[in-house]
Amino acid sequence: MARTSGPETREKLIRAAEELFASRGVDGAQLRDITRLAGQANPSAVQYHFGSRAGLLDAVMAGRQERTERVLRALPREADEDVRTLVTALVTAEASELRTDRGRRCLRVSAQLSHESGVRTGAPHPTLAGTAYWALIERIAARLADGGLPGPLLRERLDLALTVVGAAFADRARQYLDGVEPLIDEPLFLADLVETTTALLGAPRPRGA
């Protein structure tokens, strides 16, 4: 068995957590199974390296966020951004995770945490604070505010849109991991997701709101 110290062990635990959080669920995966899959004899390996299950989950999401950040920062920023342009950037960044099995597993994990982003409160989760991803979310929110959506409805709608995007990518990732042939090819899937999400965000304001 491997030692329970050092960066290699930490990385093995993160990889094992990605796999089991994706397949069994964030709440369903057992720490002992993660430790075993990582090849660690010490049952306290997760606590040693991450402090808790939550700390391990944050490490998984931080790695996923780091990859997404690289994509977002490489995208050109247009001077006159509308909602569709911003949603396209969001979908493009998320789609980069479909390229690898690791990214696909992380898409399945992050979809389970969509309501923890901080969109509803306006206070980002610590792993999102100061990121290009959160700045993109704020720019989308600003465009929605320009359209006259009141604050609570705006946050609710934006949170719903991000949940839809996350669920769509998680299901696409599941199909890839399971070897299932998708109904439509990836370019069409991404284009349709952009249009669907843009339409959701631009839906008419409900009567009485």
Side-chain angles (χ1 to χ4, degrees):
M1 289 288 183
R3 297 170 63 237
T4 56
S5 61
E8 290 185 3
T9 298
R10 179 183 172 89
E11 181 64 14
K12 287 178 180 178
L13 288 166
I14 290 174
R15 292 294 189 111
E18 290 170 351
E19 183 172 338
L20 295 184
F21 284 156
S23 62
R24 301 183 186 178
V26 168
D27 296 323
Q30 300 296 312
L31 292 186
R32 64 176 178 272
D33 293 331
I34 292 172
T35 302
R36 186 181 303 115
L37 183 61
Q40 302 306 302
N42 185 345
S44 301
V46 169
Q47 286 79 3
Y48 177 85
H49 286 279
F50 304 98
S52 63
R53 170 190 289 269
L56 175 58
L57 183 58
D58 283 349
V60 168
M61 288 295 94
R64 181 249 202 275
Q65 191 61 43
E66 182 179 346
R67 296 190 297 274
T68 304
E69 286 291 290
R70 288 197 293 268
V71 176
L72 281 174
R73 292 199 167 106
L75 294 176
R77 181 168 176 177
E78 298 183 15
D80 185 19
E81 300 173 319
D82 58 11
V83 171
R84 188 183 184 282
T85 299
L86 295 170
V87 169
T88 299
L90 173 69
V91 168
T92 299
E94 296 290 82
S96 65
E97 287 288 87
L98 288 174
R99 303 283 72 77
T100 66
D101 282 354
R102 182 178 196 181
R104 294 163 186 169
R105 293 187 184 104
C106 286
L107 285 171
R108 296 191 67 188
V109 176
S110 58
Q112 301 172 57
L113 308 172
S114 62
H115 292 301
E116 298 181 19
S117 64
V119 168
R120 288 187 174 185
T121 63
H125 186 278
T127 59
L128 297 180
T131 63
Y133 180 87
W134 186 258
L136 177 60
I137 298 306
E138 290 185 319
R139 280 146 57 198
I140 295 174
R143 297 290 79 75
L144 295 178
D146 291 343
L149 280 183
L153 179 58
L154 186 159
R155 292 192 296 272
E156 181 73 23
R157 185 176 292 187
L158 183 53
D159 187 70
L160 174 60
L162 293 176
T163 299
V164 168
V165 169
F169 273 111
D171 188 59
R172 189 81 181 190
R174 177 194 60 78
Q175 293 175 64
Y176 287 176
L177 289 167
D178 292 347
V180 175
E181 183 69 24
L183 285 174
I184 58 177
D185 63 27
E186 191 171 303
L188 180 57
F189 164 75
L190 298 176
D192 187 60
L193 186 56
V194 167
E195 297 302 334
T196 301
T197 306
T198 301
L200 188 161
L201 290 170
R205 180 172 171 173
R207 294 179 180 177

